Amino acid sequence: MSSCPCGLPAPYDECCGRLHRGEAAAETAEQLMRSRFSAFAVGDADYLLRSWHPATRPAELAFEPHLRWKRLSVVATGAGGPADEEGTVEFRARFSRRGRAGEMREVSRFARHEGAWVYVNGEVRSSP
């Protein structure tokens, strides 16, 4: 895979791939959001579970077999910078399911846990 699914211009291996492999950590809530979208796009359940807050993390994660995540657009961010402890990211995620295009919109909450950004939960604003 050449370009990163997260929407930034860098190649996947140099962008979110580094986070997925544990070579780097997200510096902001937005960077974690982008890396989690990429993890959904490439099917990296281990990274998704590792980057989920332990209080809200599911025991396991299964991917829907006919769902393909296509494109991420960050709509807004609230806090979530390198010096913050909490943040929010509102995004639109485009997908295809059995060849039909769809979009979801969510406001995700992030927090620092043991020094690292983690996903806490999200409020879906529109769904498939």
Side-chain angles (χ1 to χ4, degrees), residues 61-117:
L61 187 62
F63 294 105
E64 190 175 326
H66 302 287
L67 181 67
R68 300 289 178 261
W69 294 101
K70 300 291 190 176
R71 189 173 56 197
L72 175 70
S73 300
V74 173
V75 176
T77 60
D84 295 318
E85 292 296 315
E86 296 181 342
T88 60
V89 179
E90 182 176 354
F91 66 92
R92 284 191 322 257
R94 290 177 181 82
F95 60 88
S96 68
R97 178 182 284 130
R98 297 186 185 273
R100 297 185 68 184
E103 178 180 291
M104 71 168 283
R105 190 170 186 153
E106 179 176 313
V107 176
S108 294
R109 286 187 342 112
F110 298 89
R112 288 200 186 264
H113 177 72
E114 297 178 354
W117 282 110

Side-chain angles (χ1 to χ4, degrees), residues 26-34 78-81 86-89 110 117:
E27 296 179 16
T28 65
E30 180 180 342
Q31 187 179 25
L32 183 65
M33 173 62 242
R34 288 181 179 279
E86 296 181 342
T88 60
V89 179
F110 298 89
W117 282 110

